[in-house]
Amino acid sequence: MESRKAKGFLTKIMLFHKLFRGLLCGGKLTCLSFQIWAQSAESKALPIHPLRFSDVRVEDSFWSPKFKIWSSKTTFDVFDKLEGKHEPEPPDVIAGKEKLPPARNAFQNFDWVAEGKKNTQTHLGLPWYDGLAYETIRGASDLLSEYPNKALENKIDGYIERIIAAQNADPDSYINTYTTLICPARRWGANGGNDRWQHDLYNAGMLMEAGVHYYRATGKIKLLHAAVKMSHYICKEMGQLPKKNVIPGHGGPEEALLKVYQLFKEQPRLKSKMSVPVNENDYLAMVKFWIEARGNYGEKDGSHARKSDSSYNQDHEPVFQQQTIEGHAVRATLLATGITATAIETGDRRYRQTAGRYWNNMAGKRMFITGGQGAVAKDERFGEDYFLPESAYLETCAAIGAGFFSEKMNELEANGKYMDEFERVIYNNFLSGISLGGDHYFYENPLIGNGNKRWAWHGCPCCPPMILKLAGAIPQYIYAYDEQHLYVNLFIGSEATFKIGGTEARLKQETNYPWQGLTTIRVTPTRTAKFSICVRIPGWAEGKENPSDLYYSKVKGKVSLKVNAAPVAASSKNGYVSITRAWKKGDVIELNLPMEPRRVVAHDFAEALKGKVAIASGPVIYSLEELDNPGLKDYVLNAKTAFKVQYQQGQLGGINVIDGEAADASGKQVIFRAIPFYALGNRQPGAPYKTWIQVSHK
Ligand SMILES: [Zn+2]
């Protein structure tokens, strides 16, 4: 009876997935004035750490206007829409209107649970709506750290009260509104339930992150306290025998709970403000269990049994044995980020090797030129190696997950190749996910388009909260540090303060990147002190488009690096040129990167891209929109064409456009115009576009 019921429930889930699959969602150098040693990053103490928000301020012609829109408009837009103030648009509603109630107010669910409602069979939106609310709070928290906004903070405080009221209605402090309102007997997917659908643990993980990020942004502990109560309950319920064998049905909680662990390790006095005992080591053990129990379904005698999941949720074999990154691309990249974070925390070689294998496979064989991930629409999965069709699915959330993963890999190994791929994400598949106006969003980001439009809202609005999470995090990732080295990872106008070797130092970075290649970094230590500044040299700037040669390009021009106007040999090791000297007030580093447009071709194994080129300038990938290029579908690029670059202030928020020669269907020479991929669809939503263009060698 039970198993028939379970089968019925699973069949329903599978049917739901089937129906709505579109959804789911540096040698010694000669210098006249002084000595500089450029050295390898290999000898460095690892890992490296991103900066705290309080230590970095962004003032950048490209990013600052975007941060302003995201913090003052997008945050409110996403919260309002999560409150059901905007109906999903029909063509993008993945769940049929008849299956979901019309007003999908995520916060109404919390209110119902707070009122004591249970098993009412009424829940608004999808099971992961709680998680989306928490994710939006996390993203907004990080943006608040850089851009204080009392109205936004008050709004979040109001939501937190409603979340806490819902949690307080449960004697265990358990909170997942879907399970409570629809299937309370199936907590954690027990009794025929399925955490993969219910998202008990995913939502809990997002609550943990929201609690930690909101506390770090505001010093307020209420949401953190709610997260700790839930973490406490989780640690009582699952883990090694005799506890339950439960793993998250969606990656993400691993890194989230690790953040709670790290917060209490860093601030042990915070424990006394919690109403439940906090032993942070239990959290770390839980994180490791969640990772190591994947692919391990129980003991041979049947005890501690768990129903196996599949590669969809990276549960097909033990994680440390998995050779490739598989399954649902958002789940996989968020799990990978958690595995990397655990490798950093524990130094465990197995975690490090697994993370490295995942990353090499992802970035070296499965990544799209825009940083997109997850080629296959069905189950939103990674495709096979070198399966890189132009019409690929490429959910915004998956590129963002890959961005978080790449940044975390750089913390682990201090190798600029990871930030190359992080940068590929942020200037391309991340930015394309949101309109320039900040209130329309893409779910899918294929490299060829005809009719796909950003929506105001979606039945599965998972991408906007993920966009806010990465948007909020970017300032932290501009720089990194360890005991002796400052790393300049991103070229974004900003000021940062570091403590290094007992000295405080300030860096002021000025740049017009990505439209111009010159970046100036002024160094101001409180006293003259010897340390290293490691400047990232992007792979593409040295003729290495991708670390595994998934893509190739040649760049015209050379990298130039100077300190106080004296040249520094700019050959990088591990993606950085490390400049070690006694830094004094007024020292200036000048980096000039070759931004001339380059033709990118894909690896021979990428069948879909044979005979085609893409155009890139710096980190920005370009596309042709039919609006500028009538008859685009038949364009054949003249292989010998020169590219003309112009900055257009009034176009699409201010962009470089690239013009060149192509032949149209009749063979007539035409001038094409390319704009950044991220800016597509902002003049005429749904306008046809292409990113890979057939090339003629005549
Ligand atoms: Zn998404």
Side-chain angles (χ1 to χ4, degrees):
M1 185 68 186
E2 270 309 302
S3 75
R4 260 211 316 272
K5 259 193 202 164
K7 208 173 159 190
F9 186 61
L10 276 176
T11 308
K12 272 184 205 157
I13 290 168
M14 286 165 71
L15 193 68
F16 197 86
H17 274 246
K18 209 171 168 181
L19 277 169
F20 311 119
R21 64 192 168 88
L23 147 75
L24 299 191
C25 359
K28 207 169 180 181
L29 297 159
T30 312
C31 277
L32 294 176
S33 56
F34 52 80
Q35 274 191 310
I36 292 174
W37 291 268
Q39 62 187 31
S40 157
E42 269 168 3
S43 60
K44 285 164 191 161
L46 299 172
I48 62 174
H49 313 284
L51 279 192
R52 288 176 189 279
F53 287 112
S54 53
D55 294 334
V56 60
R57 281 284 166 269
V58 175
E59 190 59 61
D60 184 78
S61 57
F62 182 84
W63 289 100
S64 290
K66 292 176 173 45
F67 285 128
K68 199 170 168 196
I69 290 171
W70 299 336
S71 61
S72 65
K73 183 174 172 186
T74 308
T75 48
F76 288 93
D77 183 65
V78 176
F79 277 131
D80 284 351
K81 289 169 179 174
L82 277 173
E83 280 196 69
K85 293 179 182 166
H86 196 291
E87 273 297 292
E89 290 169 12
D92 288 306
V93 174
I94 49 98
K97 285 258 182 189
E98 75 284 0
K99 294 264 179 191
L100 288 172
R104 296 164 181 84
N105 181 349
F107 295 97
Q108 178 66 58
N109 295 322
F110 291 108
D111 296 343
W112 282 331
V113 171
E115 287 161 15
K117 292 195 163 74
K118 209 170 189 174
N119 205 10
T120 56
Q121 300 307 303
T122 302
H123 174 272
L124 303 181
L126 294 158
W128 47 96
Y129 264 41
D130 291 9
L132 301 182
Y134 304 144
E135 287 183 78
T136 307
I137 293 175
R138 171 199 157 165
S141 299
D142 289 359
L143 287 163
L144 277 174
S145 302
E146 287 278 314
Y147 302 95
N149 182 325
K150 210 65 208 164
L152 181 58
E153 197 175 323
N154 289 340
K155 196 172 176 70
I156 295 172
D157 285 339
Y159 295 138
I160 291 172
E161 292 300 330
R162 295 164 77 177
I163 293 163
I164 289 172
Q167 183 182 43
N168 288 344
D170 187 277
D172 300 316
S173 299
Y174 165 89
I175 182 168
N176 187 32
T177 66
Y178 177 83
T179 300
T180 299
L181 293 168
I182 302 293
C183 50
R186 292 175 170 169
R187 202 172 275 194
W188 322 124
N191 303 316
N194 185 339
D195 188 59
R196 179 166 139 180
W197 174 249
Q198 294 167 220
H199 287 65
D200 285 31
L201 282 176
Y202 180 78
N203 291 344
M206 298 307 103
L207 170 63
M208 294 166 195
E209 286 199 325
V212 171
H213 285 244
Y214 196 62
Y215 167 70
R216 290 197 185 274
T218 63
K220 295 176 181 172
I221 64 164
K222 279 187 173 179
L223 193 62
L224 175 68
H225 182 228
V228 167
K229 282 162 68 180
M230 185 64 168
S231 306
H232 181 72
Y233 179 50
I234 285 172
C235 290
K236 268 168 62 181
E237 285 279 297
M238 57 193 76
Q240 306 291 354
L241 269 171
K243 297 176 186 173
K244 300 181 182 84
N245 183 353
V246 180
I247 64 159
H250 191 305
E254 300 85 358
E255 189 196 8
L257 187 51
L258 195 70
K259 285 182 184 174
V260 184
Y261 161 80
Q262 289 165 328
L263 176 65
F264 285 102
K265 205 173 104 178
E266 176 194 311
Q267 301 182 26
R269 290 164 70 183
L270 198 51
K271 292 180 190 179
S272 65
K273 295 183 177 165
M274 300 294 129
S275 66
V276 291
V278 174
N279 179 356
E280 69 273 22
N281 292 325
D282 292 345
Y283 302 162
L284 179 60
M286 190 77 253
V287 170
K288 289 156 83 172
F289 178 82
W290 280 340
I291 294 170
E292 294 175 29
R294 286 169 187 268
N296 290 310
Y297 316 118
E299 307 300 322
K300 286 196 175 105
D301 64 1
S303 64
H304 212 227
R306 171 170 67 79
K307 211 163 145 273
S308 65
D309 203 322
S310 63
S311 61
Y312 176 82
N313 188 32
Q314 301 76 46
D315 192 29
H316 50 301
E317 64 180 336
V319 159
F320 299 145
Q321 292 170 27
Q322 294 178 20
Q323 300 300 311
T324 52
I325 190 161
E326 297 297 340
H328 185 267
V330 184
R331 283 171 164 82
T333 50
L334 293 182
L335 171 64
T337 308
I339 290 170
T340 313
T342 308
I344 294 168
E345 185 60 44
T346 64
D348 189 322
R349 192 167 45 87
R350 298 168 306 164
Y351 282 80
R352 178 187 286 259
Q353 289 173 340
T354 302
R357 278 198 307 275
Y358 275 178
W359 196 86
N360 289 338
N361 181 242
M362 177 186 86
K365 293 180 177 169
R366 298 180 175 189
M367 184 188 67
F368 287 70
I369 193 169
T370 50
Q373 304 288 351
V376 182
K378 180 171 165 38
D379 287 346
E380 306 184 309
R381 298 180 78 100
F382 277 102
E384 296 289 313
D385 292 351
Y386 303 105
F387 179 67
L388 302 168
E390 292 160 90
S391 60
Y393 188 67
L394 309 183
E395 181 186 348
T396 304
C397 288
I400 292 172
F404 281 124
F405 179 27
S406 291
E407 189 285 328
K408 200 57 79 181
M409 285 299 291
N410 189 50
E411 290 181 39
L412 179 65
E413 297 192 352
N415 189 318
K417 68 183 181 186
Y418 300 117
M419 295 315 283
D420 289 358
E421 301 309 348
F422 177 81
E423 194 177 53
R424 188 186 296 281
V425 168
I426 63 171
Y427 285 97
N428 300 291
N429 200 142
F430 158 69
L431 270 190
S432 63
I434 184 165
S435 64
L436 295 174
D439 59 359
H440 282 70
Y441 313 90
F442 267 142
Y443 202 110
E444 300 170 41
N445 300 266
L447 304 187
I448 186 167
N450 189 355
N452 53 319
K453 297 177 188 169
R454 291 182 185 86
W455 30 264
W457 202 236
H458 196 291
C460 176
C462 53
C463 303
M466 275 291 270
I467 290 168
L468 287 172
K469 281 161 59 177
L470 186 56
I474 288 172
Q476 270 197 299
Y477 300 154
I478 302 172
Y479 306 95
Y481 70 97
D482 62 20
E483 286 77 11
Q484 297 158 14
H485 307 85
L486 306 179
Y487 291 81
V488 179
N489 279 323
L490 299 172
F491 310 112
I492 297 178
S494 53
E495 271 197 272
T497 312
F498 302 83
K499 280 214 175 78
I500 190 157
T503 307
E504 198 172 280
R506 198 154 42 83
L507 290 197
K508 186 176 168 65
Q509 190 182 162
E510 292 175 313
T511 186
N512 284 317
Y513 195 79
W515 311 131
Q516 293 173 6
L518 179 64
T519 295
T520 305
I521 303 162
R522 291 173 205 284
V523 188
T524 313
T526 47
R527 60 178 173 84
T528 301
K530 188 174 173 182
F531 54 87
S532 304
I533 297 179
C534 305
V535 181
R536 178 180 145 253
I537 310 295
W540 54 260
E542 297 187 316
K544 192 81 175 167
E545 187 72 32
N546 171 264
S548 301
D549 294 330
L550 182 58
Y551 301 100
Y552 295 86
S553 65
K554 281 188 192 143
V555 67
K556 282 186 190 160
K558 279 200 161 32
V559 177
S560 136
L561 187 66
K562 294 176 182 170
V563 175
N564 298 339
V568 175
S571 64
S572 64
K573 292 248 176 80
N574 292 330
Y576 294 95
V577 173
S578 177
I579 311 169
T580 304
R581 68 188 297 256
W583 292 98
K584 61 179 192 312
K585 194 177 171 188
D587 285 344
V588 179
I589 302 170
E590 281 178 305
L591 173 71
N592 214 335
L593 295 170
M595 306 299 277
E596 291 83 355
R598 53 189 200 279
R599 296 165 177 79
V600 184
V601 295
H603 194 287
D604 280 353
F605 292 172
E607 288 292 334
L609 304 177
K610 276 199 186 314
K612 295 174 184 167
V613 298
I615 301 166
S617 168
V620 180
I621 303 300
Y622 278 74
S623 297
L624 278 63
E625 211 166 23
E626 199 177 54
L627 276 176
D628 305 307
N629 303 284
L632 170 66
K633 72 181 176 45
D634 298 312
Y635 274 21
V636 177
L637 192 91
N638 179 343
K640 291 184 182 139
T641 186
F643 294 122
K644 189 177 154 207
V645 182
Q646 321 163 40
Y647 181 72
Q648 298 209 335
Q649 175 96 42
Q651 271 277 34
L652 296 163
I655 54 168
N656 276 355
V657 298
I658 299 176
D659 295 345
E661 292 166 6
D664 68 8
S666 66
K668 195 178 102 199
Q669 291 293 298
V670 295
I671 302 295
F672 71 78
R673 166 148 297 184
I675 63 168
F677 174 81
Y678 76 77
L680 292 169
N682 277 287
R683 293 174 294 178
Q684 182 187 306
Y689 65 88
K690 286 175 93 167
T691 309
W692 289 96
I693 314 291
Q694 203 71 36
V695 67
S696 128
H697 289 285
K698 277 186 259 173

